[in-house]
Amino acid sequence: MAFASILRKSANSLAPLAIRLTRVQRNYHSCIFTALNHGFQSQQTTVNRYFHNTLHFSTAVGAKKPSSDESLIRVIESEIQCAEESDEHDQVEEAPSGFPFEIEDTPGLQTVTLRREYDGELITVTVHMPDLVTGEEQEGDEDYEDDSEKPTRSNIPLVVNISKKDSPSLEFSCTAFPDEITIDSLSVRNPDSEDQLAYEGPDFHDLDENLQKAFHKFLEIRGIKPSTTNYLHEYMINKDSREYLQWLKNLKKFVEE
C-alpha cells in the first residue's frame, strides 16, 4: 500500500512536468513553423517587390525612345521633306509617240520591265536604275585624246532578251547613254539548260566591226534605239526619286515603332 501511494504521488508530480514538456515542444514547433512561414513570406515579398520594380523599370525604358532614335527620326523627317519638295517623285513621263513597249513598273523594285512581240519574237527588256553623273564631273572632256579615258557619262544599264518559241534566246547586256547605245556582251541562252559554264562567246568589242554594226541594227529594228532609251532615262530618274521617298518613309516607320 505504501508502495502504491508512492507511485501515485510520483505520477501526480510527473504529470504536470510532462504536460509542460509537451507544451514546450508544441510551442517550439509552433515557433519553428511561424519563423519558417515568416521567412517564406518575407522572401516572397522580397521577390515580388524585386520583380515589380524590374517590370516597372522595363516599362519605363520601353515607353521612352532613346535620344539617338529621336535625333535619327528628325533627320529622316528632314530628308523626307526635301524629297517631297522635289518635282521628280510625282512626275509621270508620257511615252513618246510610237513607243513600242508595254511598261511593267512594280513599286518597291529597282528595275522596270519592257515587253513587246515582234515578228514571232518575244522581246523583254530589264531596265535598271540610272547611273547619274553631274555636269561638273563631265567638264574637261576635251582634254582626253582617247574616248576610253573620258569620264563616265550618265547611263542606264539594260538587259535585252529576245526569244522564239522552242528555241534558244539571245541576251544582250547594253548601256544606254544619251543618244547612244553600246552593246557590252552577247550570249546565247538555252532555256532547257542549267549549265552555268556554257560558252558565252567572245568579248563583243572583239567581234568584227561589221558584225557589231549589224547587231546594233538588229536591236534598233526591235525598238532598242536612242529615242526609246532617252525616254527611259527620264522615266528611271523619276522612279528612283519615288522609290527613295518611300524608302525614307519605311525607315521612319521602323524607327518609330
Side-chain angles (χ1 to χ4, degrees), residues 20 49 55 59 64 66 72 90 115 121 129 135 157 204 213 217 223 234 237 247 253:
R20 286 197 301 270
R49 183 167 60 250
L55 292 175
T59 305
K64 182 174 177 58
L72 177 58
D90 57 355
R115 299 186 192 277
E121 300 172 347
M129 289 294 184
F204 186 81
K213 291 181 179 179
K217 190 67 176 178
E234 296 299 324
I237 289 177
W247 179 75
K253 182 179 178 181

Side-chain angles (χ1 to χ4, degrees), residues 26-221:
R26 288 178 180 176
N27 291 338
Y28 173 73
H29 287 295
S30 178
C31 290
I32 292 177
F33 178 78
T34 302
L36 290 174
N37 186 47
H38 176 73
F40 175 76
Q41 290 177 347
S42 177
Q43 291 178 356
Q44 188 177 30
T45 303
T46 303
V47 171
N48 290 341
R49 183 167 60 250
Y50 172 75
F51 279 106
H52 174 73
N53 292 339
T54 303
L55 292 175
H56 178 73
F57 175 74
S58 301
T59 305
V61 171
K64 182 174 177 58
K65 285 284 185 182
S67 58
S68 59
D69 287 6
E70 293 177 350
S71 299
L72 177 58
I73 291 173
R74 286 195 298 270
V75 174
I76 295 175
E77 288 175 343
S78 176
E79 196 67 19
I80 290 175
Q81 182 179 357
C82 292
E84 289 177 338
E85 290 174 354
S86 70
D87 296 332
E88 296 173 347
H89 74 277
D90 57 355
Q91 285 186 354
V92 179
E93 292 289 333
E94 293 185 3
S97 177
F99 188 77
F101 292 96
E102 177 184 350
I103 300 177
E104 297 178 7
D105 185 354
T106 303
L109 298 184
Q110 63 178 358
T111 59
V112 165
T113 302
L114 311 181
R115 299 186 192 277
R116 73 168 297 197
E117 292 185 0
Y118 174 82
D119 196 20
E121 300 172 347
L122 176 61
I123 303 173
T124 305
V125 184
T126 303
V127 187
H128 294 262
M129 289 294 184
D131 182 10
L132 301 178
V133 177
T134 64
E136 293 179 358
E137 293 176 287
Q138 294 182 357
E139 290 180 358
D141 283 1
E142 63 275 7
D143 296 333
Y144 295 89
E145 296 181 359
D146 188 355
D147 289 343
S148 62
E149 298 178 355
K150 290 183 180 181
T152 303
R153 295 169 290 167
S154 296
N155 62 83
I156 52 174
L158 309 173
V159 177
V160 183
N161 185 279
I162 303 174
S163 61
K164 297 180 180 180
K165 186 177 181 180
D166 300 327
S167 298
S169 62
L170 296 181
E171 187 170 281
F172 297 82
S173 292
C174 305
T175 303
F177 298 95
D179 301 319
E180 180 187 6
I181 300 172
T182 63
I183 299 176
D184 303 316
S185 65
L186 167 62
S187 59
V188 179
R189 301 291 184 186
N190 190 338
D192 299 327
S193 175
E194 298 181 357
D195 187 2
Q196 299 299 318
L197 300 178
Y199 179 63
E200 296 287 341
D203 188 288
F204 186 81
H205 301 288
D206 292 338
L207 296 176
D208 180 80
E209 185 176 351
N210 291 329
L211 187 56
Q212 293 185 43
K213 291 181 179 179
F215 274 119
H216 275 283
K217 190 67 176 178
F218 178 85
L219 291 180
E220 181 181 352
I221 293 173

